[in-house]
Amino acid sequence: MYLIVGLGNFGRKFNGTKHNVGFDIIDYLMNEYQILLSEISLKAMYGNGMIAGERVLLAKPMTYMNFSGEAVKALVDYYKINPERELVVIYDDINLKPGLIRIRKQGSAGGHNGMKNIISNLGTDSFTRIRIGIGEKPQKWDLSDYVLSPFRREIREKVNESMEKVVSALEMICQGNTDSAMTCYNNKGEKQSRKSEAV
């Protein structure tokens, strides 16, 4: 069974913000595969269903972003998930242009506080993650203000297009073809900026 976690912040004021694209992906998957997030426990809202013939749990941590690891750890422990083989975390990345995605099987948090907390709670960085490009912040913007602001319409359209890529990538991952998903999606387009860090 795969545990697929989208990162974000609960609360109406965060809906549609750049930092909530992980939640947006979970909503997209819910509609695509008719999976209801009917359980509220273990510091998360989650539900189970099937993707590409494999059983999955879709989850949104109910902690704030910076404490996402508490929910991920609780789910991993309760459902006896092997993070290296069965966990996928989806989140925003300002280092990528809108519309691009990147898939990795391990690595650092890259400055993303939600990922920092997950790695800390799990005690490992060996798990699959899918980063969704949200674009680099303008120079005069505070980083927190930027990621907690809504998208401009034209950027939102590009991000929505990336969701279809994530669905295709997840189907490959659930079938055990993570390397193929990386080959398919990691070399399209360029990184936005090496200096930027996601929050």
Side-chain angles (χ1 to χ4, degrees), residues 140-158:
K140 295 183 179 180
W141 277 65
D142 175 81
L143 187 54
S144 179
D145 289 340
Y146 176 68
V147 297
L148 294 178
S149 67
F151 289 99
R152 298 198 315 270
R153 184 170 64 179
E154 64 272 20
I155 301 301
R156 178 82 251 187
E157 290 173 355
K158 291 182 179 179

Side-chain angles (χ1 to χ4, degrees), residues 6-9 13-25 65 90-94 96 98 112 131-138 141-156 159 162-163 198-199:
L7 302 189
N9 288 301
K13 68 178 181 179
F14 299 111
N15 290 346
T17 61
K18 300 176 183 73
H19 223 18
N20 266 38
V21 294
F23 277 13
D24 293 343
I25 283 289
M65 174 69 82
I90 306 170
Y91 61 102
D92 58 289
D93 190 344
I94 67 170
L96 293 176
H112 193 287
R131 296 178 288 138
I132 301 172
I134 62 170
E136 188 176 22
K137 76 174 182 67
W141 277 65
D142 175 81
L143 187 54
S144 179
D145 289 340
Y146 176 68
V147 297
L148 294 178
S149 67
F151 289 99
R152 298 198 315 270
R153 184 170 64 179
E154 64 272 20
I155 301 301
R156 178 82 251 187
V159 172
S162 73
M163 294 187 184
V199 181

Side-chain angles (χ1 to χ4, degrees), residues 6 19 23 27 35 45 54 85-86 91 105 109 119 133 150 155-156 161 165 181 185 189-190:
H19 223 18
F23 277 13
D27 291 340
I35 299 173
M45 179 181 292
E54 296 292 330
R85 297 198 304 267
E86 301 170 326
Y91 61 102
K105 293 193 287 188
I119 291 170
I155 301 301
R156 178 82 251 187
E161 290 173 5
K165 299 176 187 176
Y185 292 106
E190 298 178 354

Side-chain angles (χ1 to χ4, degrees), residues 42-43 63 67-75 117-118 121:
L42 305 173
K43 299 185 178 182
T63 59
F67 302 99
S68 300
E70 295 178 8
V72 174
K73 181 68 162 60
L75 288 162
N117 193 252
I118 292 172
N121 274 271

Side-chain angles (χ1 to χ4, degrees), residues 1 29 35 46 75 107 153 169 192:
M1 178 171 66
L29 293 169
I35 299 173
Y46 60 96
L75 288 162
R153 184 170 64 179
Q192 179 97 1

Side-chain angles (χ1 to χ4, degrees), residues 53-72:
E54 296 292 330
R55 188 179 172 212
V56 300
L57 280 176
L58 301 182
K60 296 179 180 180
M62 295 186 73
T63 59
Y64 282 107
M65 174 69 82
N66 292 357
F67 302 99
S68 300
E70 295 178 8
V72 174

